[in-house]
Amino acid sequence: MDISLFDFDLPEELIAQSPEKQRDACRLLLIDREHRTYQDRVFSDIIDFLGPNDVLVRNNTRVIPARLIGKKDSGGAVEVLLLKNLHGDVWECLVGHARSVRLDSICYFGNGELSCTCIGVYEEGIRHMEFHYEGIFLEVLEALGQMPLPPYIKKQCSNKEDYQTVYAKVPGSAAAPTAGFHFTEELLGKIQAKGAQIVDITLDIGLGTFRPVKVNDTKDHVMHSECYEMSASAAEILNKAKTEGKRIIAVGTTSVRTLEANMSKYGMFTPTREDTRIFISPGYKYQAVDALITNFHLPKSTLIMLVSAFMGREFTLECYRHAVEERYRFFSFGDSMFIYGKPSED
């Protein structure tokens, strides 16, 4: 499909620059994809639409301060974004002005407490970097790194926890699973009190999630690989839910990609830790996910394509036009959608 089919007009002032003071006070567009209806609510209202026949699946990844600003051995400035831990102290990184970072180039950060050597050169600014430090890597990174906020957010958070979900647990991501921002500990407790189950999976969010589509036809887009993990206990709960006809609700597109990648490969939920390049766009038939909680995404992005595959492209754009007209907040710190109901043809 032509990617222009996923474009829409978005006033810049609707791009949220900071989170709501109260996480669950954001707006919620409640969408029935079967009957093609929607209504304006508040996120805390979601409790009214969840119950004992629901399994909520969330991505418990934790964002690391993966953006490093330093100097090259040649003296020039350099920016390195850690994307994925390959093994040991070797990371796949996205490097700014990467042409000058060649094989064996060394970059230094802070006062030299952290450095890295380029051991692999790849296209589009991707480099494999081996890091050198003393002590515990994540502690060094915490001291020297910045939160890797998307480019449309103009300033760093005053509190790093603003760019984490309240259930963030497993360090390793270069971006947050932002659909989960709207949950509070109190709201999660209420959801469990109503009998709904909560299941954690992990997908380390890297370039695959936020890389822009640079081709004109969706069939030519190749996703960057990201690592996900599904535990034996999570697989058991999810398989039982499918057998019993319970509703599996994905919190965010990264949870969707984890669940669908696993189900489409194995035919049932299966414990594993592996990479996925799954790209979900219209024409894809969902096998794992019955409902979706997600934010409002960038025009022509893989994320709006994923949502379009779930609820139909035309209806997706209709809901987005409504959100713009009603001045919803967009992107990472923005408002939310809860999409439920049986699928209908676009």
Side-chain angles (χ1 to χ4, degrees):
M1 298 181 72
D2 192 312
I3 65 167
S4 65
L5 294 172
F6 301 93
D7 199 7
F8 62 93
D9 292 326
L10 178 66
E12 187 174 352
E13 65 268 20
L14 295 185
I15 300 173
Q17 294 297 313
S18 59
E20 293 278 5
K21 291 182 179 179
Q22 177 65 23
R23 288 177 180 256
D24 60 1
C26 76
R27 299 172 73 184
L28 174 71
L29 188 61
L30 188 69
I31 300 171
D32 182 338
R33 64 173 177 163
E34 179 181 4
H35 299 100
R36 297 199 169 211
T37 59
Y38 45 85
Q39 53 182 294
D40 302 309
R41 305 292 289 256
V42 176
F43 191 81
S44 56
D45 292 343
I46 202 168
I47 189 70
D48 298 329
F49 302 92
L50 301 175
N53 288 320
D54 293 325
V55 179
L56 204 66
V57 183
R58 62 190 189 183
N59 184 1
N60 67 357
T61 191
R62 186 170 181 82
V63 185
I64 59 175
R67 182 173 178 246
L68 291 165
I69 309 294
K71 291 188 176 182
K72 296 172 286 189
D73 47 9
S74 61
V78 67
E79 179 175 337
V80 175
L81 177 65
L82 282 68
L83 296 175
K84 183 167 65 174
N85 182 223
L86 300 175
H87 58 84
D89 291 316
V90 177
W91 286 74
E92 179 182 68
C93 300
L94 181 64
V95 178
H97 304 293
R99 288 182 182 177
S100 61
V101 178
R102 305 179 179 88
L103 204 61
D104 297 326
S105 293
I106 301 175
C107 304
Y108 300 91
F109 309 99
N111 294 315
E113 305 99 305
L114 180 66
S115 64
C116 61
T117 303
C118 178
I119 62 172
V121 176
Y122 302 90
E123 295 179 354
E124 297 186 346
I126 300 296
R127 299 289 186 267
H128 288 181
M129 308 292 274
E130 183 172 10
F131 283 83
H132 315 285
Y133 56 93
E134 291 186 2
I136 299 171
F137 180 67
L138 287 178
E139 291 183 358
V140 176
L141 200 61
E142 190 72 32
L144 297 177
Q146 299 177 9
M147 296 302 279
L149 298 180
Y152 48 77
I153 296 176
K154 305 303 182 185
K155 63 178 182 179
Q156 283 284 317
C157 300
S158 56
N159 182 354
K160 288 184 179 180
E161 291 303 308
D162 285 345
Y163 196 62
Q164 307 278 11
T165 62
V166 297
Y167 49 80
K169 183 179 180 181
V170 183
S173 280
T178 57
F181 282 173
H182 314 297
F183 289 94
T184 64
E185 296 285 7
E186 181 182 7
L187 181 57
L188 290 167
K190 289 180 179 178
I191 290 169
Q192 289 178 305
K194 288 193 71 174
Q197 291 177 284
I198 296 176
V199 173
D200 284 346
I201 50 86
T202 306
L203 182 138
D204 292 333
I205 305 171
L207 201 57
T209 295
F210 58 84
R211 184 184 221 167
V213 178
K214 296 182 179 180
V215 295
N216 293 322
D217 195 317
T218 58
K219 68 179 176 59
D220 297 323
H221 180 69
V222 177
M223 293 290 284
H224 198 79
S225 69
E226 293 170 313
C227 183
Y228 79 88
E229 181 170 4
M230 179 174 292
S231 68
S233 59
E236 181 180 2
I237 292 170
L238 291 168
N239 283 322
K240 188 171 185 287
K242 277 294 183 188
T243 300
E244 296 176 351
K246 291 186 175 182
R247 186 171 61 164
I248 294 178
I249 304 170
V251 179
T253 58
T254 60
S255 295
V256 170
R257 293 181 63 236
T258 298
L259 294 168
E260 293 295 329
N262 189 266
M263 176 67 81
S264 62
K265 181 174 180 178
Y266 297 106
M268 62 184 296
F269 295 111
T270 303
T272 185
R273 179 175 174 82
E274 62 188 20
D275 287 353
T276 180
R277 291 179 179 270
I278 190 169
F279 174 35
I280 298 174
S281 61
Y284 178 86
K285 300 298 182 184
Y286 277 79
Q287 302 173 56
V289 175
D290 302 303
L292 169 61
I293 298 167
T294 187
N295 285 12
F296 293 90
H297 304 295
L298 286 163
K300 298 190 288 188
S301 65
T302 61
L303 305 182
I304 195 173
M305 294 172 193
L306 180 151
V307 174
S308 295
F310 190 71
M311 59 184 278
R313 184 188 66 85
E314 292 182 2
F315 186 45
T316 297
L317 292 177
E318 178 185 335
C319 291
Y320 269 60
R321 285 192 293 269
H322 172 80
V324 170
E325 290 170 1
E326 295 298 319
R327 312 294 290 178
Y328 275 68
R329 287 155 45 98
F330 276 68
F331 307 160
S332 295
F333 287 138
D335 295 315
S336 181
M337 299 189 289
F338 178 33
I339 310 163
Y340 66 93
K342 294 179 181 179
S344 62
E345 297 296 326
D346 195 353

